[in-house]
Amino acid sequence: MTIPANKWYPHPGDTQTIYLRQAITDPAISVGEYTIYNDFVHDPAEFEKNNVLYHYPIHQERLVIGKFCSIACGAKFLFNCANHDLDSLSTYTFPLFYQEWGLDKENITQAWKDKGDIILGNDVWIGFEAVILAGVTIGDGAVVGARAVVTKDVPPYTIVGGVPAQPIRRRFSEETIAGLEKLCWWDWPEDWIRQNIHAIQTGQLELLEEFAARHG
């Protein structure tokens, strides 16, 4: 299942929505097939510049986004250089300005807290102008509400919202979530997905399970 490298737009004539993977040049950012990004304010192709912030090589941090995700306009991913060290008696980043203060360059990373990568699972929906902070993992099928600020991990198929983001509800029963996580329909061949779009959209998990059993 591979989108041609020259295919940027899933909807003809709509240049506000792109297959995000096509716009990625930074090797520390990976995006799965069919994930889309919409931007009606800026060029969506400038996602790396406008939406992935404080993402510098010094921390060797990654942004990992799964398949079939939907990312709304203005969503931001804030990395570790936005995290001043709160264990210090001052939030001022003295180690960053090592020349000014006669400090060792080797200790420059002490200016920030390294909380790790940002990881989005598959089929995740990130709402308008939501903010995802460093170190956060968002599970498969989760939904982040508009302008939410996500500071903690989000379990699969959970809707979160607010500042800071809090769980609102699970999208499905525990049984259905377990079934979807086992099924991993997003990893199916494209023709399998095409054959089962109606079942996916109408919530007929049993039909997907039957199909997988026949073709497994």
Side-chain angles (χ1 to χ4, degrees), residues 22-74:
Q22 313 297 48
I24 301 304
T25 60
D26 186 340
I29 302 175
S30 63
V31 178
E33 293 281 357
Y34 292 98
T35 284
I36 57 173
Y37 173 60
N38 171 270
D39 199 320
F40 50 82
V41 178
H42 304 289
D43 181 353
E46 296 184 342
F47 177 85
E48 288 182 341
K49 180 181 78 172
N50 295 329
N51 304 79
V52 185
L53 308 180
Y54 298 95
H55 187 238
Y56 305 123
I58 192 168
H59 282 297
Q60 299 181 337
E61 57 210 358
R62 300 177 303 143
L63 172 58
V64 179
I65 301 175
K67 303 174 184 177
F68 291 96
C69 293
S70 303
I71 302 175
C73 180

Side-chain angles (χ1 to χ4, degrees), residues 47 51 59 71 77 82 96 100 112 132 137-138 145-146 162 200 208 212:
F47 177 85
N51 304 79
H59 282 297
I71 302 175
F77 300 85
L96 175 61
E100 183 74 10
W112 312 279
I132 317 299
T137 294
I138 299 178
I200 292 171
L208 300 181

Side-chain angles (χ1 to χ4, degrees), residues 158-169:
T158 299
I159 301 172
V160 299
V163 181
Q166 300 293 331
I168 298 173
R169 64 178 175 87

